[in-house]
Structure formats: C-alpha cells, structure tokens
Amino acid sequence: PRVRAVIARTTYALAMMIALLCSAVHAGQDFHLSPTGSDDAAGTEEAPWATLEHAAAQAGPGDTVILAPGEYPGQLQLTRAGQSDAPIVFRAAERHTAVLTGPEEGYAVFLRDTSHIKLEGLAFRPRSPEGVWILAARVDSLELVDLWMSDAWRGDAVRLIDCSNVRLTECTMLGPHSWNMVHITDSERLIFEGCEIAGSAHALLLFLPDRTNREVVIRGCVFVGRTGRTLLIDSVDYLLFENNVITRSLDGGRSAGARFGYYATNSIFRGSRVFDNWGAELFRIQPYRETLDFARVRIYNNVFHGNCSNAVRVRNFEGKYNITDAVFANNVFAGNEPFGSERQIIIGEDDPSDDVHFRSNLIEGSVEILGSLHSVPDLIDSAMFRDTIGGSPQFTDPGLWEHVPAEGSPLIDGGMCLTHAVAEDEGQRLHVEDARWFYDGYGLDGERGDLIAVGSPANLARVIRADYDANLIELDRPLRWSEGDPVSLPWAGAAPDVGVFEVGAEGLAPPVVVATPYVAEPGEEVLLRALMRSDLPGASVRWQLSDGTVLKGAEVRHAFSEEGEWGLRVRVESPDGDVVRAAGLVVVERTRGADEPLLHTTFNDDDAEWWWRWQAYRPGNTDYGRVQIDEGYALHVRAPQDDAHLPFRTNPRAWDIDVYPSITVRYRISEGAPIAAYIEAFPSYEQERPRRIWLAGTAAAMPLPEGTQYAETLLDDGEWHTLRLDARRIRERWPEVTVAMRFAFEGQWLTARDRVSEGDQFWIDEIIVGPENIR
C-alpha cells in the first residue's frame, strides 16, 4: 500500500507538473505573423510565421498572435479554447492593415465549439465573390473589436449560431451584399456598440428564426440602408436598442420594402434617431407570423423625422394578436410622409387600442386610426393618444437633422416622467407602477443598469435589478420617496423633454451628432459636432468614421475623398470612466450635371447598381437573371407557370419628375405576353388604391387599369424596341404629384395576371430616367 501510495503521489505530482508546464507554454506568449514569414520560423517578431492555419494550431490560452500588415489568405480556425482570464487573441499590429482575404469560398474566420476568443483591429476583404467574413457556431465569450469588413457579396457575411457572451465593439461592416449582412440565430447575451452596418440588399441585421435570441444590447450604432432596408429583428426577448441611427433605407432590388422590423418582448427602444429614409413604409408593427411578437415594449425619447413614409404603422394582422402592452412616450413624429398626407402614425384595420398607447408625444401632421384621418386637436380626448403635443418640434436646424430643441420649442419640459412610486418608503427596493421602462444590465459583463431620478432630478440611484413582473426596482444606494413620486431617467426643468435631447441636464449623456453640411462634395471639408447637453470638464470625445479615420474632440473637421454615405460614431468618456455612445451620418456625392440622368441601367459588367436598383424577385416567384445578348447584357424575366407575377420595378431616391421627366426603355417582349408600364406616387390617405397610372401596354394587357387616355403600345413580336415615356403624365390624374416613388415594367397587376401563361417573358437592355429629351 505504501508503494502504491508513493506511486500515486508521484503520478499526481508529475501530472500537475506537466499541466503547469503546458499552462506555462500557453500563458501569455506573443506570437507574430507576416505574409513574408515562414511556418518553420520561431514565431517571433524577427522570425514570424506565415499562415493563419499554423498560428491557429499553436495558439493557446493567454496567447496573442500579432499580424503584420499585408494580406492573409486561407481560413482562421482555432483548435483550442481560451480561458476567462486568458483569451486567445488575434490582433493587427497596425489597425486595419492586416487583411484577411479568406479562402476562395467560405468564411475567413470559422470558429466552432470554442470559447474566450478575441479578434482586434483586423480587416476583412474577401478575395472572391464567394468569400465571407466570420462564422461562429457554439462559441462562448467572443470579442470582435474595431474590425473593418467590406467587399463580401454573399449573404450572412457575419453568422452567429448558438453563441453566447458576444460583444462587437466599433466594428465597421460595409456592403455591397446580395442578401443579409449579419444573421444571428439561437444566441444570447450579445452586445453591439459603436458599430456601423451599411449597404445590404435585404437586411443589415437579421435575428431569425423567431424567438431564438435573447438578452441583446444595440447601442450607439448607425444602420445605413443605402441599397435596401435596415433591421429585421424577429421576436427577440430582452432587447435594449438605444442611441442608434436608422437612416437612408431604400426599397431596393432585393429588400421587399424599406421598412425595418422590430419584433421583441420585454424590450426598450429609446434615444434613437430615425431620419432620411426613402420608401413607402418604415417602422411597421404588423405581426404576419404567429411567432412574431411585439409585447411588453417601451418606445421612448426617439425622433422619427423626415422620412418618406409614415413613421409607425400598427396593425394586429389577420387575427394574430401578438401586439400587447406597448407604450410610445416622449417621441417626436415630424415631417414624415411629405409626399402623401403627412400621416405620422397609422393604426390599422384591426383595432389594437387596448394594447398600444401613445403618451406625451409630439406629432406634426395627422394620424390615421382605423381608416379615419385625425389632426392632433382631434386626439385630445383620445385614451390612445393622451397628452399629445401638436405643431412643429422647432429643432435648431432640421435641414442638418440637428435634433436639438431651439429656445421656446414645445419639446422642452413637454414630456412625461416614465413611471411613479406606488407607496411611501425608503431603502433600496423601489416599487413602481411600471418597471419596464428601465434597463438593469441583463446580467451582462461590463453592463450597468440605468441611472434614474426618484422624486426629483437630484435624487439619483442606479438600477441593479428590475423585476418587470413585480414592478420592483433594486437600487445601488438607499433613497427615500413618497407615494406618487415621479421616477424617470434624469431630467432638468419641470418635466422631461420630448425627443433625444434633454436641455440643461447635468452629467454624462449621449450627444446629438451633426455634420455640416449634411450633403457634401467629395473632398469638401465637413464640420462634425457632438452636441452635448452640458459641459463636462475633462470628458474625452472620440470619433470613428466609416472611412477608417479616428478623430478626437467635440468639434472636428474631415474631408471624405469618395462618394458614399459615411457613418459617424462618437464615444464620450467622463473623467470617472463612464462611457456613452451616439451616431450620425454625412452623405458625400458630387453635384449631378443638368444633362445627367437620375438612373441609367445597362446590366453590363460596368453597371454596379442594377442588382439593387431593380426588383424582380417579389412579389411572387419569377424566373429572372442577367443574360448575354449581342449588345452586351440584358435582364430576362420569365413566367415559370400560368398566372404568375412578372415584376420588374425600381424606386429611385429623390425622383423629382419635373427635373427627371423622361423615361426610356429598350425592351423585347414575347408574343402574347401581358406586359405594361406604370409610374406610381407615394401613398396618400385620400386614395384607397395606389396613386398609379399605366402609361403603356401590349395588346394582351389591354385595357389598362387606371390607364392614361392615350396609352403607348408595347410591341410583343420578340424584337427589340425603344419606349419613351413622360413621368409627368401622372398629373393627368393627380395634379399635385411632384415626386414619384416607382417605375415598373411588368405583368403582375391583378387585372392581367390571370392572362399570364407559362413561358411569357420579356427582356430589358437599357433604361434611362433623366432630364427632358435625354437620349
């Protein structure tokens, strides 16, 4: 027995020694990687390795692999996991100069069944159209910091599946993308902060399937639609969406609308700015699946301003009553639907008035409720729209999207305190009427709950935990309060302000980010301002621009050399280390010449826009694709079956029909196909049907529904022809129209679809929308 005991102790000691030696091997070593290195080298700065594969096979807990400037093909797969206090890190020696080009097909980074991984400062630029950025499956504790990602054409360029504790900080993700850019499934405890996601064809950020994701924070990010819509958040449980910007969405070629989806439960949408979006819909709350939920949601202190559609549409759709306990408070709805009836909000056909409430919002324009149009005075006695403020918000400079109230603005002191204490008491357990207004950090690492004021702006404490069902808030310090005392985020003055800016409030708060000018020429210097609520001595302000530039200061200047929609992300840190984030945008485009077209599509190799300009995949299932012809390329649209839709439409931004009245189409149509062309204006309350007028059609399409008096004839002889139209003819029916929403050349309308036969088809070689008499 003594011998066995000695052997056992010796074996244990050897095992521990081996474990310690192994741990020492992988305890905080730095390895180096260079495109000019060798995998036979030592991995030091003087003798770096060459490939991602070799570095991944060597790196262990606590190790950092430092990538020198250059391009790195292949795929990064880690064979080991890091540890909570010793992650595995891959970091660029100089930010954004180490470029992961990936394999010919697939992800540049593929992480599976691992944990505690950090990628920092790297750039991603796929080497082929089949290349994408990052796939993480069953990964716990993943940090993506200051990554630059571009040039991925495939969808799901970032894919998270069954992941937890993922944080994306100051990452830049730029299109073009043929489908969804970031797709998240079955994941929890996710934080997006200070990121830009821009330019996807279908959705920038997609949470799907429904009800598979939870505990998500999206903060200080900018979502730039550019070629499609922005968010599709499908039934996320516990979601904080704060201080973000949603802008420049478009009803593009593969987006099926400009709307964004925000379906969530136990969630908060606050402090965000939604402006300058182009399309017939925006924030549509219409659960069209049984598993889409909009329940126990608080939407407050946001600005919905200057969008082409109404700001919010609410409808419990076809008996799917998934909209419950939703409150909109202290929001600004102004300047929306300018080319229609200036409806700011639409409450749809199925009355959700018991489940949705609007409190202390400013509304400039009208509201449609169950098919009836109401001005703000009509809403005074409405239980659904209590304490509504009418009139202009009086922003300091609405042309710059400067959403700060000017002196005398009705936004100042115009809001409501979010909730109230239910009984006199003292201590750290505060019972309120409604705890759902407040964020408690969800238990996420590095997150803190809201700082709130109880009774007065000076009586402050931080939320440690919020029990939403019991309406109980646990505080980080003891306070005293009386029954009925207001409980809200910190405010100044007699009451909270409406919108995103609290005038006169002290302490750290997200700024409003403004660019002057908002639309600049390439190379023109732009003044960038982070407008603070109060002067914070010692606070640092850091800008991250989507061209990769980093600047410091509350006011900075920068010239963008190329055209584009450039995101502005701001990080403000107080002297005691607290951080807030905000976002903005600047548009850079050259002034178009008087003889230049608004839209010119050829489908040739040098036409980089056709795929997001023209929509042929919806409605219905249609065969379509680019085909080669004698003169180059054309788009071919074909009916795969009888009674099929044959859509082909575009929704150009800022189509002023007096400046760009001319439409020229070179087409070819198969014999007997019922094809026609129309132009459509933005929706209007006064018109039950779309403001659409049919300008031309084949013999099989006649008579045209709501056609012009003298419709053009489309020839269906299988030969190439040229059609010329005048967009101003829409005024024959609607004289007030100055801006068009859509042009279509298709065969999907209801009066002719039953005439479509399998094999009906047409080809489009070139389309120009431009000034009068353009050729």
Side-chain angles (χ1 to χ4, degrees):
R2 291 185 60 190
V3 173
R4 286 198 298 270
V6 170
I7 293 174
R9 288 196 297 270
T10 304
T11 303
Y12 176 78
L14 288 171
M16 289 300 298
M17 185 180 298
I18 292 170
L20 288 171
L21 287 172
C22 291
S23 177
V25 169
H26 292 294
Q29 295 188 86
D30 286 351
F31 298 112
H32 291 264
L33 201 60
S34 170
T36 60
S38 169
D39 287 346
D40 294 327
T44 62
E45 187 172 7
E46 296 76 19
W49 295 325
T51 67
L52 294 168
E53 291 83 354
H54 182 75
Q58 307 305 312
D63 291 342
T64 298
V65 178
I66 301 170
L67 285 70
E71 292 190 350
Y72 295 86
Q75 188 175 76
L76 174 59
Q77 292 191 49
L78 292 171
T79 59
R80 295 186 180 92
Q83 298 172 358
S84 60
D85 58 348
I88 300 175
V89 180
F90 277 71
R91 175 184 298 144
E94 303 171 21
R95 66 187 295 264
H96 302 166
T97 60
V99 182
L100 277 61
T101 59
E104 286 293 332
E105 181 176 354
Y107 288 90
V109 173
F110 182 20
L111 304 175
R112 181 174 58 189
D113 298 313
T114 188
S115 65
H116 300 98
I117 308 298
K118 182 176 182 180
L119 309 179
E120 184 175 358
L122 304 172
F124 292 73
R125 191 176 299 117
R127 59 195 303 185
S128 77
E130 295 300 312
V132 272
W133 303 328
I134 300 171
L135 170 62
R138 298 182 299 279
V139 176
D140 177 56
S141 299
L142 172 64
E143 283 191 80
L144 307 177
V145 181
D146 191 20
L147 304 182
W148 171 278
M149 294 172 266
S150 65
D151 298 335
W153 284 89
R154 270 182 45 187
D156 294 353
V158 173
R159 187 76 168 97
L160 304 180
I161 305 170
D162 195 12
C163 292
S164 58
N165 299 298
V166 179
R167 185 183 290 265
L168 293 89
T169 303
E170 298 179 357
C171 292
T172 305
M173 292 162 267
L174 304 179
H177 294 264
S178 62
W179 202 240
N180 305 302
M181 191 178 301
V182 181
H183 185 178
I184 300 173
T185 297
D186 289 303
S187 296
E188 62 182 3
R189 304 170 66 84
L190 313 174
I191 300 174
F192 292 75
E193 55 183 2
C195 294
E196 176 177 358
I197 312 180
S200 181
H202 188 255
L204 300 173
L205 178 59
L206 171 67
F207 289 85
L208 187 76
D210 308 346
R211 300 176 176 171
T212 66
N213 300 284
R214 60 180 287 116
E215 294 164 347
V216 177
V217 175
I218 302 173
R219 176 188 296 127
C221 297
V222 55
F223 298 94
V224 187
R226 187 181 302 161
T227 57
R229 54 188 168 184
T230 50
L231 304 170
L232 282 180
I233 297 173
D234 290 336
S235 295
V236 172
D237 193 23
Y238 293 96
L239 168 62
L240 174 67
F241 188 90
E242 67 173 359
N243 309 330
N244 301 297
V245 162
I246 298 174
T247 188
R248 303 289 286 189
S249 63
L250 183 75
D251 187 354
R254 288 165 174 79
S255 65
R259 65 179 176 86
F260 68 86
Y262 185 88
Y263 293 99
T265 52
N266 302 306
S267 296
I268 296 170
F269 186 115
R270 68 185 182 191
S272 295
R273 300 191 293 149
V274 182
F275 64 87
D276 196 18
N277 292 285
W278 193 271
E281 291 184 312
L282 188 59
F283 190 177
R284 189 179 76 178
I285 306 165
Q286 182 173 301
Y288 50 90
R289 292 192 297 266
E290 295 287 353
T291 50
L292 287 177
D293 308 299
F294 191 77
R296 303 177 297 282
V297 180
R298 302 294 178 263
I299 307 99
Y300 63 96
N301 287 105
N302 304 287
V303 170
F304 299 85
H305 174 224
N307 303 289
C308 288
S309 74
N310 54 82
V312 177
R313 180 182 180 120
V314 183
R315 180 188 176 194
N316 261 318
F317 184 62
E318 294 181 353
K320 302 178 178 69
Y321 292 98
N322 293 4
I323 302 175
T324 59
D325 189 15
V327 186
F328 290 77
N330 299 350
N331 301 291
V332 177
F333 301 99
N336 301 297
E337 204 183 70
F339 311 120
S341 302
E342 299 184 353
R343 294 170 295 182
Q344 306 303 300
I345 300 166
I346 297 178
I347 307 300
E349 291 82 348
D350 296 330
D351 182 3
S353 58
D354 291 338
D355 300 310
V356 180
H357 299 275
F358 292 82
R359 300 284 182 263
S360 300
N361 301 285
L362 181 138
I363 300 177
E364 180 190 30
S366 59
V367 175
E368 182 181 331
I369 305 175
L370 304 180
S372 298
L373 200 64
H374 301 266
S375 63
V376 171
D378 297 334
L379 304 175
I380 291 176
D381 297 325
S382 167
M384 191 177 188
F385 286 85
R386 197 171 67 200
D387 299 325
T388 298
I389 305 167
S392 166
Q394 297 181 35
F395 292 129
T396 51
D397 195 333
L400 294 177
W401 314 107
E402 188 172 330
H403 297 129
V404 174
E407 185 177 354
S409 166
L411 302 180
I412 300 173
D413 296 345
M416 68 172 223
C417 287
L418 298 177
T419 190
H420 297 85
V422 298
E424 183 175 353
D425 205 346
E426 62 180 293
Q428 293 178 246
R429 293 167 60 85
L430 170 63
H431 284 273
V432 294
E433 296 169 345
D434 184 359
R436 297 188 184 280
W437 298 99
F438 305 118
Y439 171 63
D440 65 1
Y442 298 160
L444 303 177
D445 290 343
E447 287 291 293
R448 294 197 299 171
D450 287 337
L451 185 68
I452 63 172
V454 181
S456 70
N459 200 33
L460 301 175
R462 192 168 295 280
V463 175
I464 297 176
R465 180 177 175 272
D467 186 331
Y468 293 152
D469 295 323
N471 289 319
L472 174 65
I473 298 173
E474 295 184 19
L475 306 174
D476 70 339
R477 70 200 74 169
L479 297 179
R480 298 187 66 179
W481 57 86
S482 299
E483 181 178 357
D485 271 356
V487 181
S488 199
L489 300 185
W491 73 93
D497 293 352
V498 176
V500 296
F501 195 92
E502 180 72 27
V503 175
E506 297 182 356
L508 185 65
V512 172
V513 178
V514 179
T516 307
Y518 174 67
V519 180
E521 294 277 342
E524 179 182 0
E525 188 175 74
V526 179
L527 172 64
L528 306 176
R529 292 176 293 153
L531 303 176
M532 314 287 277
R533 300 179 187 179
S534 60
D535 185 25
L536 292 174
S540 64
V541 181
R542 180 179 181 270
W543 296 74
Q544 184 168 355
L545 314 183
S546 57
D547 66 354
T549 302
V550 173
L551 301 169
K552 293 183 179 181
E555 291 192 5
V556 296
R557 295 181 181 273
H558 185 67
F560 296 85
S561 61
E562 298 181 8
E563 290 187 278
E565 287 132 321
W566 301 101
L568 314 170
R569 289 157 285 165
V570 172
R571 179 185 186 273
V572 182
E573 183 174 357
S574 68
D576 60 4
D578 287 341
V579 172
V580 294
R581 296 181 182 274
L585 186 80
V586 60
V587 177
V588 178
E589 59 186 24
R590 64 181 180 82
T591 302
R592 187 178 284 111
D595 59 346
E596 288 188 68
L598 174 69
L599 180 153
H600 185 191
T601 301
T602 65
F603 306 102
N604 292 330
D605 289 339
D606 59 353
D607 180 358
E609 297 185 351
W610 73 265
W611 64 275
W612 61 263
R613 287 280 190 188
W614 292 93
Q615 188 176 102
Y617 89 107
R618 283 188 179 181
N621 296 314
T622 304
D623 292 338
Y624 73 96
R626 199 173 69 126
V627 296
Q628 194 161 10
I629 59 175
D630 291 342
E631 296 83 0
Y633 286 88
L635 193 78
H636 178 216
V637 181
R638 178 184 179 277
Q641 60 191 36
D642 293 348
D643 302 333
H645 294 77
L646 287 173
F648 182 63
R649 54 184 64 169
T650 188
N651 303 283
R653 176 180 283 273
W655 184 4
D656 185 326
I657 60 175
D658 289 310
V659 178
Y660 303 107
S662 177
I663 306 169
T664 304
V665 184
R666 187 168 184 265
Y667 70 92
R668 175 186 168 199
I669 302 174
S670 66
E671 184 177 355
I675 308 302
Y678 68 78
I679 185 172
E680 184 174 335
F682 281 91
S684 169
Y685 168 77
E686 291 75 17
Q687 302 296 323
E688 293 184 4
R689 303 183 65 179
R691 290 191 291 174
R692 177 185 300 172
I693 191 165
W694 295 84
L695 304 176
T698 62
M702 298 297 181
L704 294 173
E706 300 179 346
T708 60
Q709 183 177 0
Y710 303 105
E712 303 290 335
T713 299
L714 296 177
L715 301 176
D716 57 348
D717 56 6
E719 301 296 329
W720 287 103
H721 302 279
T722 298
L723 171 71
R724 291 189 173 88
L725 301 171
D726 190 328
R728 293 169 295 192
R729 291 182 66 185
I730 194 171
R731 293 193 186 126
E732 294 175 16
R733 184 153 305 170
W734 296 285
E736 72 278 8
V737 171
T738 60
V739 174
M741 181 184 77
R742 170 178 296 162
F743 172 71
F745 187 101
E746 56 187 47
Q748 61 82 35
W749 65 99
L750 294 178
T751 59
R753 206 174 82 213
D754 58 357
R755 305 178 213 166
V756 173
S757 300
E758 180 182 354
D760 282 348
Q761 56 195 310
F762 62 87
W763 295 258
I764 302 293
D765 175 38
E766 184 178 31
I767 296 183
I768 303 172
V769 176
E772 195 163 15
N773 300 320
I774 191 170
R775 291 292 185 268

